Amino acid sequence: MTPTSAHQGPASTQAGDQTTESSTPLRVGLLGCGVVGSQVARMILSGADDVRARVGRPVELAGIAVAHPDRPRARLPQDLFTADAQALVARDDIDIIIEVIGGIEPAYHLIMSAIEHGSSVVTANKALLAAHGHEIYAAADAHGVDVYYEAAVAGAIPIVRPLRESLVGDEIRRVMGIVNGTTNYILDKMTTEGVGFDRALAEAQRLGFAESDPTADVEGFDAAAKAAILASLAFHTRIRGSQVYREGITDITPEDIRAARGMGCVIKLLAICEMEPEGVSARVHPALVPEDHPLGVIRGANNAIFVEAREAGHLMFMGPGAGGSPTASAIMGDLVTVARNRTRGVAGPPQSIFGDVPVAGIGTVHTRFHLSIQVRDQPGILSQVASVFARHGVSLQTVQQSALEGASKEDGWSASLRMVVHRTRESDFEACLAELSQSPIVNGDPRFIRVEGM
Amino acid sequence: MTPTSAHQGPASTQAGDQTTESSTPLRVGLLGCGVVGSQVARMILSGADDVRARVGRPVELAGIAVAHPDRPRARLPQDLFTADAQALVARDDIDIIIEVIGGIEPAYHLIMSAIEHGSSVVTANKALLAAHGHEIYAAADAHGVDVYYEAAVAGAIPIVRPLRESLVGDEIRRVMGIVNGTTNYILDKMTTEGVGFDRALAEAQRLGFAESDPTADVEGFDAAAKAAILASLAFHTRIRGSQVYREGITDITPEDIRAARGMGCVIKLLAICEMEPEGVSARVHPALVPEDHPLGVIRGANNAIFVEAREAGHLMFMGPGAGGSPTASAIMGDLVTVARNRTRGVAGPPQSIFGDVPVAGIGTVHTRFHLSIQVRDQPGILSQVASVFARHGVSLQTVQQSALEGASKEDGWSASLRMVVHRTRESDFEACLAELSQSPIVNGDPRFIRVEGM
């Protein structure tokens, strides 16, 4: 980051820093030095002049805690490294701790210790914030220090600050986004190349978009952690990752993708946070999205977040959702903010938590569904199926009957019914499904996927 | 804005405000009560409980200055209104002034007076900030008060705070956006319905998307003011609206739109701020944009801003760019932020201005161009034209020759050459144009439009 020094022509004419500057440096401890941490270290060291200009005071990297401090690292001074993270967060000369270790422990105890020692904290750790964020925010408030975490959701895309500050005078109704680049890459690959999940995953792993153990991404745990953070911010409450309804994408087949395209839709893994009459619904699941919807056009490993607010209307934020440099950019923005606050002897605005809004279960959610079932190709079937829906007060929007591929007239189950139902309460739809599963006119279990953004 | 009170079920379980609250209200003076001001007044009055919860202190509307205080206004207490704006900003009991009058005067003197009386300021006034923003920011710094202006650019879309805070640790290279809803509506109408500028403008006026005097929008003055604000924020410098290169859309013809579509492009009025070797370039002009570019798909009166940063990569922000409620949402977010700062006895981060980066003239910009000229349909013409480009070091990307509609072979000027040139310095392209204009092989003046996002 060299906005000041990079303007080689212009820089020579600059009038000098105009903010009141203290020459005592702020000192930063960095926990972790992997893909993100090494970029953060590089940006603090090589962008020192710019950081100083923005903060009004020098910012120094005072130590880096890693598992293997003796491992040679290009362009980072070896004497900064230590294996003793606990000693680093307890050091009296540290003002700000940046945590990019990830995971719950030891990150949680290190951050709590840093706060108790009076340091402000910048973290990218979504899993930790979704599990223990509210204890961390309370500790920070009690000690008058900052906890900033723009990098924890959607990488470099500014979404935490807009929700926490820009939209704080509005009423947010819904936040819906693609917040996991790995699964978007996989689903995009399945859509554009017609390949199956396993092959798309293998390709994502080969290119570094997926981990060797992809569970956290493909089962939706990562997206659920981000949904918990977004729902807490949007609705000024406390939602933990474990309270987020979660389905992953491992069951999505090329046939699902083809069926979606037949309806002018694509399949996306969505994180959705909305206010339902029963409370806050936070959920992660694959959904059909129209291919011309702002979320339908998000390609590859990008992220995008769609916000619906009462006064502001529909807003969308998009960009790279992960990666070392984008994540480090978000961390550096937080570092400058936290360092400015320190320099002025204040903390930023506290988390605006006004109480615990109840969490609405998935059954209370109102949405649309796409459903496919196998039936016998005989007169009266559609009427029988439709009567099941009518009995549960679920209204059909479209019905399409087609011959089932690979089936013979003889085995009876030769037709496929594809239906889209109007917006309905999920529990009513579930009751339909249960009755259809039991019905002699339906073969096997119905297959369904939610429909959003239509 | 009723996030707290609107949660009817959840609200009953709320644990109460957890921030330290002072019961002394902060008092707000509102300058102007038109489309935006009346929404702001409504939100402050009807959302008082929510604002109080977010700020940690009650926020009261203490007075509204308007030209005609006796005019009856539904749902706003008549005794709040006054015709004496100067007396309102000078009142000792006012903490925050919200300015939504628009225009340079009397807004400028009222804001300066409010700052001198120790009030913080929230404004949506892009024309004023583009003309005198830096004097206003300096006065605010000198008096230790805030000036916030999220609503001045792109309505409810958070872009000022992301540039000022979220991306402050990165190096912004380019900001390119559709920041005027009126012109986007007109160009979109011309594109989708094939109508001319005058008819599209009349329709925009009929629907309230354009003023009866549309000059500020269609001639690009409004977009130029926003470009000046964006460039100042992105490059930590001072750019005024008058320093922004500006072309409007009044000369765009249905034929231009058709030619663009033939290339898979649409025409958009863009505000572009970028760092060139000679300094900051800020400019507003119509441009060809690929129809699948994130800016190419922005419909109607929406706004969108595309940011390229060194570390963060490509980010995009989109949403409603104008209108009473969206603009009021942005003002309310600023009001809460400024009120929180007051409550804690601090001011927000100062404008990060590090000096005056030189402004690069339009001639120094590097971009692509689409050019069409009338020539005689005879052998060797293309070679002669190409030699002009070669002489000025301008490289042709595509050339398409076609018969000129309505022209007869007999009058000689029967062919049209359409060319796209590779990224080149504008002054070199201008030299080509000048030579082609003088050339006996070319009829009339060449017609060109810049090409962005390809």
Side-chain angles (χ1 to χ4, degrees):
Chain A
M1 56 158 276
T2 51
T4 308
S5 53
H7 306 163
Q8 270 129 17
S12 60
T13 69
Q14 293 191 352
D17 179 21
Q18 304 193 325
T19 59
T20 317
E21 184 171 321
S22 152
S23 58
T24 318
L26 283 163
R27 292 170 66 78
V28 175
L30 178 62
L31 307 179
C33 198
V35 174
V36 175
S38 59
Q39 295 297 321
V40 170
R42 168 183 66 79
M43 290 166 76
I44 294 175
L45 292 169
S46 70
D49 289 346
D50 295 311
V51 174
R52 179 192 182 120
R54 282 156 185 62
V55 173
R57 197 169 157 186
V59 174
E60 276 183 14
L61 192 53
I64 307 176
V66 292
H68 304 288
D70 299 329
R71 190 177 290 171
R73 291 164 211 265
R75 289 172 300 179
L76 294 177
Q78 200 69 38
D79 60 358
L80 286 179
F81 288 89
T82 172
D84 193 345
Q86 182 54 52
L88 183 63
V89 299
R91 266 169 63 177
D92 284 343
D93 65 333
I94 297 271
D95 301 286
I96 299 165
I97 288 290
I98 299 175
E99 184 270 312
V100 286
I101 307 173
I104 308 294
E105 287 296 358
Y108 180 44
H109 276 92
L110 290 170
I111 284 178
M112 291 300 261
S113 176
I115 290 170
E116 283 154 18
H117 283 87
S119 291
S120 287
V121 172
V122 175
T123 176
N125 192 332
K126 58 224 111 190
L128 175 59
L129 293 178
H132 297 295
H134 303 296
E135 293 90 322
I136 292 172
Y137 310 143
D141 282 355
H143 287 83
V145 300
D146 280 331
V147 174
Y148 272 66
Y149 52 90
E150 185 63 72
V153 185
I157 306 172
I159 183 66
V160 173
R161 218 181 246 92
L163 287 176
R164 191 170 165 175
E165 301 184 35
S166 309
L167 289 161
V168 73
D170 205 331
E171 175 189 337
I172 296 185
R173 296 185 157 168
R174 192 164 206 247
V175 178
M176 176 163 86
I178 295 167
V179 295
N180 179 275
T182 305
T183 47
N184 201 58
Y185 177 86
I186 292 171
L187 291 170
D188 193 22
K189 192 100 184 158
M190 291 173 72
T191 303
T192 53
E193 300 183 13
V195 301
F197 171 79
D198 291 336
R199 200 159 132 203
L201 170 61
E203 181 69 7
Q205 286 170 321
R206 197 180 65 78
L207 294 172
F209 291 129
E211 314 258 353
S212 55
D213 174 1
T215 311
D217 292 319
V218 300
E219 296 292 1
F221 289 101
D222 174 80
K226 292 164 178 167
I229 295 170
L230 290 172
S232 299
L233 284 167
F235 304 118
H236 308 284
T237 184
R238 299 180 184 87
I239 306 284
R240 294 186 194 270
S242 57
Q243 295 174 296
V244 176
Y245 175 84
R246 181 189 52 73
E247 290 175 24
I249 64 162
T250 52
D251 291 338
I252 302 291
T253 65
E255 169 58 20
D256 292 329
I257 304 255
R258 271 196 298 276
R261 298 202 83 171
M263 294 171 57
C265 288
V266 289
I267 296 181
K268 296 291 187 186
L269 182 71
L270 298 184
I272 304 174
C273 313
E274 59 189 344
M275 189 55 77
E276 292 279 346
E278 286 87 349
V280 172
S281 161
R283 56 194 200 267
V284 168
H285 54 68
L288 294 187
V289 177
E291 56 196 6
D292 59 356
H293 185 277
L295 294 177
V297 299
I298 302 301
R299 308 297 306 275
N302 280 317
N303 279 197
I305 298 178
F306 197 69
V307 176
E308 289 177 38
R310 173 171 150 156
E311 309 289 348
H314 294 187
L315 304 172
M316 195 164 101
F317 305 78
M318 56 177 268
S325 293
T327 307
S329 168
I331 288 173
M332 290 302 290
D334 281 352
L335 173 62
V336 169
T337 302
V338 166
R340 278 176 174 168
N341 288 344
R342 284 254 144 180
T343 300
R344 297 182 301 140
V346 300
Q351 289 290 120
S352 59
I353 300 164
F354 305 124
D356 289 308
V357 182
V359 177
I362 189 72
T364 71
V365 164
H366 289 76
T367 190
R368 287 188 179 77
F369 297 87
H370 175 260
L371 172 75
S372 62
I373 54 178
Q374 280 182 32
V375 293
R376 291 180 197 279
D377 184 7
Q378 61 189 47
I381 283 290
L382 182 56
S383 142
Q384 291 178 58
V385 169
S387 73
V388 174
F389 283 86
R391 208 149 42 237
H392 295 280
V394 174
S395 167
L396 286 166
Q397 181 178 333
T398 60
V399 180
Q400 193 190 340
Q401 181 165 351
S402 55
L404 199 62
E405 274 176 46
S408 65
K409 275 269 180 193
E410 288 63 39
D411 74 358
W413 306 108
S414 57
S416 154
L417 275 186
R418 295 184 179 284
M419 290 158 281
V420 176
V421 304
H422 278 296
R423 200 170 142 79
T424 189
R425 192 179 152 100
E426 178 137 344
S427 57
D428 293 335
F429 180 74
E430 281 167 6
C432 273
L433 280 191
E435 187 172 336
L436 289 172
S437 297
Q438 299 299 318
S439 166
I441 61 170
V442 175
N443 185 33
D445 281 334
R447 188 165 175 83
F448 77 93
I449 183 165
R450 294 174 192 83
V451 180
E452 299 286 345
M454 224 171 225
Chain B
M1 56 157 276
T2 50
T4 308
S5 53
H7 307 163
Q8 270 129 19
S12 61
T13 67
Q14 293 193 351
D17 179 19
Q18 304 194 327
T19 59
T20 315
E21 183 170 320
S22 152
S23 57
T24 317
L26 283 164
R27 293 169 66 78
V28 175
L30 178 62
L31 307 180
C33 197
V35 173
V36 175
S38 57
Q39 297 295 322
V40 170
R42 169 183 65 79
M43 291 167 75
I44 294 176
L45 292 170
S46 70
D49 289 347
D50 295 311
V51 174
R52 180 192 181 118
R54 280 155 185 63
V55 173
R57 196 169 159 187
V59 174
E60 277 182 12
L61 191 53
I64 307 176
V66 292
H68 304 287
D70 299 328
R71 189 177 290 171
R73 291 164 210 265
R75 290 172 299 182
L76 293 178
Q78 200 69 38
D79 61 357
L80 287 179
F81 288 89
T82 172
D84 193 345
Q86 182 53 52
L88 183 64
V89 299
R91 267 168 62 177
D92 283 344
D93 64 333
I94 297 272
D95 301 286
I96 299 166
I97 288 289
I98 298 176
E99 184 271 312
V100 286
I101 308 173
I104 306 295
E105 287 297 355
Y108 180 46
H109 276 91
L110 290 171
I111 284 177
M112 292 300 264
S113 177
I115 290 170
E116 282 154 20
H117 283 87
S119 292
S120 287
V121 172
V122 175
T123 177
N125 194 333
K126 58 223 108 187
L128 175 59
L129 294 177
H132 297 296
H134 304 294
E135 292 90 323
I136 292 172
Y137 311 144
D141 283 354
H143 288 82
V145 300
D146 281 331
V147 174
Y148 272 67
Y149 52 89
E150 185 63 72
V153 186
I157 306 171
I159 183 66
V160 173
R161 217 180 245 92
L163 287 176
R164 192 169 164 174
E165 301 183 35
S166 309
L167 289 162
V168 74
D170 204 332
E171 175 188 337
I172 296 186
R173 295 185 157 170
R174 194 162 203 248
V175 178
M176 176 164 83
I178 295 167
V179 295
N180 179 274
T182 304
T183 47
N184 201 59
Y185 177 87
I186 291 171
L187 291 170
D188 193 21
K189 191 100 185 156
M190 291 173 73
T191 303
T192 54
E193 301 183 12
V195 300
F197 171 79
D198 291 336
R199 202 162 131 199
L201 170 61
E203 180 70 5
Q205 287 171 320
R206 196 179 65 76
L207 294 170
F209 291 129
E211 314 257 354
S212 55
D213 174 359
T215 311
D217 292 318
V218 300
E219 294 293 1
F221 290 100
D222 174 81
K226 292 162 178 167
I229 295 171
L230 290 171
S232 298
L233 284 167
F235 305 118
H236 308 283
T237 183
R238 298 180 184 91
I239 306 285
R240 296 186 193 268
S242 56
Q243 294 175 298
V244 177
Y245 175 83
R246 180 188 53 74
E247 290 175 24
I249 64 162
T250 53
D251 291 339
I252 301 292
T253 64
E255 168 58 20
D256 292 329
I257 304 253
R258 273 196 297 277
R261 299 202 82 171
M263 294 170 58
C265 288
V266 289
I267 296 181
K268 296 289 186 188
L269 182 70
L270 298 183
I272 304 173
C273 313
E274 61 189 341
M275 190 54 77
E276 293 279 345
E278 285 88 348
V280 172
S281 161
R283 56 193 201 267
V284 168
H285 55 67
L288 294 186
V289 177
E291 55 196 8
D292 58 356
H293 186 277
L295 294 178
V297 300
I298 302 302
R299 307 298 306 274
N302 281 317
N303 279 195
I305 298 177
F306 196 69
V307 176
E308 289 179 37
R310 175 170 150 156
E311 310 289 348
H314 292 187
L315 304 172
M316 195 164 100
F317 305 78
M318 56 177 266
S325 293
T327 307
S329 168
I331 288 174
M332 291 300 291
D334 281 352
L335 173 62
V336 169
T337 302
V338 166
R340 278 174 173 167
N341 289 344
R342 282 255 145 181
T343 299
R344 297 182 301 141
V346 301
Q351 290 290 122
S352 59
I353 300 164
F354 305 122
D356 290 308
V357 182
V359 177
I362 189 73
T364 70
V365 165
H366 290 76
T367 190
R368 287 188 180 77
F369 298 87
H370 174 260
L371 173 74
S372 61
I373 54 177
Q374 280 182 33
V375 293
R376 291 179 198 277
D377 184 9
Q378 61 189 46
I381 283 290
L382 182 57
S383 142
Q384 290 179 58
V385 169
S387 73
V388 174
F389 283 87
R391 206 146 44 233
H392 295 281
V394 175
S395 166
L396 286 165
Q397 181 178 333
T398 60
V399 180
Q400 192 189 343
Q401 181 165 351
S402 56
L404 199 62
E405 274 175 45
S408 66
K409 274 267 181 196
E410 288 64 39
D411 74 359
W413 307 108
S414 57
S416 155
L417 275 186
R418 296 182 179 285
M419 291 159 279
V420 176
V421 304
H422 279 293
R423 200 170 141 80
T424 186
R425 191 179 154 99
E426 178 138 343
S427 57
D428 293 335
F429 180 74
E430 281 166 7
C432 274
L433 280 191
E435 188 172 337
L436 288 172
S437 297
Q438 300 297 321
S439 166
I441 61 169
V442 175
N443 185 32
D445 280 335
R447 191 167 173 82
F448 77 94
I449 183 166
R450 295 172 191 85
V451 180
E452 298 288 343
M454 221 171 227

